Amino acid sequence: MEDADQRDPQPGRGTIQRMDNIAIVVDDLGAARAFFVALGLEFEGEATVEGSAVDRLVGLEGVRSDIVVMRTPDGHGRLELTRYHTPTSPDGDPRAPANTLGAHRVMFAVEDMDDILDRLRPHGAELVGEVVRYENSYRLCYLRGPAGIIVALAEQIT
């Protein structure tokens, strides 16, 4: 494909402005909120959502869910934590390996990874593998958080 084939024929129409948030379904909203606060995200808001518009949006009937929105300290990234009361969520595999199909990992750029890991362990965080040094640029790790979410941390080496 040539570069000319990749250009938008009508600039400004149908373009992405930003990524607004990533939603993650959890079974314990309080524990998930506490985990992500310990990580360093800031609480932005919470709500209960239900009704026919929600049902039609997500393609389920009788939806009632609580959501908590967390934001990164720079204000640009958001994480929506969702707990469905109805209908009941099907069980997933909270220990699914990192190569499982589907979205299940979120990465954060951090400073002082060791301090963050120490803060997250009381909230159930466990390393998936090891903290590794990638070339001479990053320290990286995967850890498992609430509902089996894999959270990756990247600390730039200066």
Side-chain angles (χ1 to χ4, degrees):
M1 184 180 282
E2 296 179 22
D3 286 343
D5 295 333
Q6 296 178 23
R7 280 184 255 147
D8 184 353
Q10 296 178 346
R13 294 191 54 189
T15 59
I16 294 174
Q17 296 175 341
R18 68 180 179 277
M19 185 182 78
D20 193 59
N21 71 55
I22 294 173
I24 300 175
V25 176
V26 299
D27 56 351
D28 185 336
L29 200 53
R33 177 179 170 174
F35 177 90
F36 285 105
V37 165
L39 176 61
L41 273 67
E42 300 167 358
F43 172 75
E44 185 170 278
E46 62 186 315
T48 299
V49 296
E50 60 188 327
S52 65
V54 176
D55 290 358
R56 293 190 325 270
L57 174 67
V58 300
L60 296 169
E61 290 186 28
V63 172
R64 182 173 180 275
S65 63
D66 293 329
I67 61 171
V68 168
V69 178
M70 309 295 295
R71 96 177 148 258
T72 57
D74 67 2
H76 296 294
R78 286 179 178 71
L79 191 63
E80 179 184 299
L81 305 169
T82 304
R83 181 181 182 284
Y84 281 86
H85 296 283
T86 57
T88 304
S89 299
D91 288 335
D93 180 359
R95 305 301 290 177
N99 65 344
T100 300
L101 294 178
H104 64 278
R105 195 249 317 139
V106 60
M107 179 177 268
F108 296 97
V110 301
E111 291 181 16
D112 197 351
M113 180 184 298
D114 297 319
D115 179 63
I116 291 171
L117 289 171
D118 288 343
R119 289 196 323 255
L120 293 177
R121 283 188 182 103
H123 296 278
E126 300 174 358
L127 285 173
V128 172
E130 301 174 19
V131 176
V132 299
R133 183 181 182 114
Y134 180 74
E135 297 178 349
N136 286 321
S137 53
Y138 287 95
R139 288 180 72 215
L140 302 166
C141 73
Y142 276 21
L143 56 102
R144 199 170 297 278
I149 302 162
I150 296 177
V151 175
L153 305 179
E155 178 181 22
Q156 190 166 11
I157 299 170
T158 54

